[in-house]
């Protein structure tokens, strides 16, 4: 287990928290797991106190720690891909203090027993804090609703059948009505399975060229449009997982303009890659929803920048070589991503300047969506912080990773911007050797 930070001083560091209107260089003092002092020379004599640990902040940033709305930690049932211990360690190494975990485990997290088991395991492990997401339907079979009251009571923060879509409008309507009573968002994996049967990638010029069956964008858009209507009709909170299309952005933008409580997330891979990455039949690029076209990725980047997309979520979906070293059609979809997310995004959203929108999308907004107290750089707040070296260049894979899996096309690609230390619940849950220099 990790230790509470008793006296930890970040000296002369740039602290950045757009939710507090904060962007200043000075000291940040953590005592007994809480931020107690902030500002120029705030540490004063404390730096010489017995047991004080001083971290040199020159050229570094301190941000609110990140909150992931969407990760697959595979325990129970597929621990050869990931387990709660390795997943929470990977999350901590990625700068996350909180990680919401999807229910498509084996068995599915559709009962209090599985939710409680996950929380018990997490409490033994350290690392980031785990928040279970319960299933919408029993076995994620799309038919009968789960006992959401029990899931909520056991600690679930939301419900989702992620991996599959709730296809029935009637079931989705009831799910929205039921979840509303427990103030949980319903998170939809938006995919009309009738339109995507047999599909292995995006439907377009590249799928035609490769001879692979395509997953048309409209299969995502149709479900989101229907769900927005249902959410409006019943007055419930609705969140769309991993949006990937220009149409999804348009529908969500309109819904927000009408004041509906609709939110959504995007993954780093849908922001940065297109279906052209699939041309070599690289199974590391097989994911659901599939990588789209440049026009979609450009619209997603714009929508993230203007706040139409609320959050960046990793959709960390670890798989082993068993599921990936095979024919493209047979390969399981998914990319691992908890440890790479920040480095991938900083590259796109501007080097050198602390990107306000990025911090909001990685921390404050997802926390609010999941009903988690947002990590904050504020005196009195529990220390949930991430220490960043914005200049550090590193190569995932060459730098050791905590996840058990390696299924990402970004391995061996040089990234700029590295997580050096993460605090969750007042504890140091990750520390890179470079912290002390
Ligand atoms: O690519 C994906 N992988 N998309 C999903 O929705 C599920 C996930 C998984 O669990 O592997």
């Amino acid at each position: 287990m990790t230790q509470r930070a008793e006296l930890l001083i970040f000296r002369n560091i740039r602290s950045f928290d757009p939710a507090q209107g904060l962007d200043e260089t000075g000291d940040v003092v953590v005592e007994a797991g809480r931020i107690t002092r902030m500002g120029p020379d705030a540490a004063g004599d404390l730096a010489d106190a017995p047991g004080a640990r001083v971290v040199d902040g020159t050229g570094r940033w301190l941000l609110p720690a990140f909150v992931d709305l969407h990760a697959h930690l595979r325990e129970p049932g597929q621990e050869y891909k990931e387990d709660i211990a390795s997943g929470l360690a990977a999350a901590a190494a990625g700068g996350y203090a909180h990680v919401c975990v999807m229910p498509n485990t084996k068995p599915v997290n559709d009962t209090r027993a599985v939710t409680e088991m996950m929380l018990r395991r997490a409490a033994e492990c350290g690392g980031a804090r785990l928040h279970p997401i319960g299933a919408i339907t029993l076995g994620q079979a799309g038919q009968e609703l789960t006992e959401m009251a029990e899931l909520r009571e056991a600690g679930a923060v939301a419900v989702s059948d992620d991996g599959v879509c709730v296809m029935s409008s009637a079931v989705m309507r009831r799910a929205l009505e039921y979840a509303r009573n427990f103030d949980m968002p319903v998170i939809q994996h938006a995919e009309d399975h009738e339109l995507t049967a047999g599909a292995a990638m995006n439907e377009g010029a590249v799928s035609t060229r490769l001879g692979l069956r395509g997953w048309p964008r409209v299969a995502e858009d149709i479900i989101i449009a229907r769900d927005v209507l249902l959410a409006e009709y019943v007055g419930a909170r609705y969140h769309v997982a991993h949006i990937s299309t220009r149409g999804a952005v348009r529908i969500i933008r309109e819904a927000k303009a009408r004041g509906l409580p609709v939110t959504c997330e995007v993954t780093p891979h849908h922001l940065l890659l297109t279906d052209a990455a699939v041309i070599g039949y690289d199974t590391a690029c097989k994911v659901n929803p599939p990588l789209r076209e440049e026009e979609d990725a450009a619209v997603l980047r714009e929508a993230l920048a203007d706040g139409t997309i609320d959050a960046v979520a990793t959709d960390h979906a670890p798989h082993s070589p068993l599921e990936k070293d095979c024919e493209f059609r047979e390969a399981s979809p998914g990319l691992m991503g908890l440890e790479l997310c920040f480095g991938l995004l900083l590259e796109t959203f501007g080097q050198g300047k602390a990107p306000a929108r990025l911090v909001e999308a990685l921390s404050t907004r997802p926390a609010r969506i999941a009903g988690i107290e947002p990590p904050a750089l504020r005196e009195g707040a529990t220390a949930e912080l991430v220490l960043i070296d914005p200049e550090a260049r590193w190569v995932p894979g060459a730098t050791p990773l905590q996840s058990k899996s390696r299924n990402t096309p970004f391995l061996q690609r040089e990234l700029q911007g590295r997580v050096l230390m993460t605090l969750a619940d007042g504890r140091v849950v990750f520390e890179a050797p470079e912290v002390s220099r």
Side-chain angles (χ1 to χ4, degrees), residues 41-60:
D41 294 320
D45 296 344
L46 272 183
D48 302 320
R53 169 153 192 221
V54 180
V55 172
D56 178 11
T58 316
R60 295 170 169 178

Side-chain angles (χ1 to χ4, degrees), residues 287-359:
V287 63
N288 199 14
L291 302 174
R292 302 291 184 186
E293 294 170 27
E294 181 48 34
E295 193 182 329
D296 298 286
V299 168
L300 293 171
R301 290 193 292 269
E302 201 182 284
L304 177 61
D306 73 19
T308 302
I309 296 178
D310 300 85
V312 174
T314 64
D315 194 1
H316 177 75
H319 290 294
S320 81
L322 274 177
E323 294 84 24
K324 286 291 192 182
D325 290 354
C326 57
E327 223 196 299
F328 196 87
R329 275 189 198 86
E330 304 308 318
S332 297
L335 275 68
M336 49 90 76
L338 281 163
E339 291 164 85
L340 282 68
C341 184
F342 182 77
L344 287 169
L345 293 178
L346 191 62
E347 199 172 300
T348 320
F349 285 84
Q351 308 285 348
K353 54 180 185 339
R357 192 48 212 126
L358 197 53
V359 173

Side-chain angles (χ1 to χ4, degrees), residues 277-293:
V278 178
I279 286 172
Y281 295 95
D282 180 2
T283 58
C285 296
K286 183 170 179 184
V287 63
N288 199 14
L291 302 174
R292 302 291 184 186
E293 294 170 27

Side-chain angles (χ1 to χ4, degrees), residues 72 74 104 162-163 189 242 287-288 315 317 319 333-334:
H72 301 271
R74 306 299 191 209
N104 62 339
D162 184 64
H189 169 115
H242 45 49
V287 63
N288 199 14
D315 194 1
H319 290 294

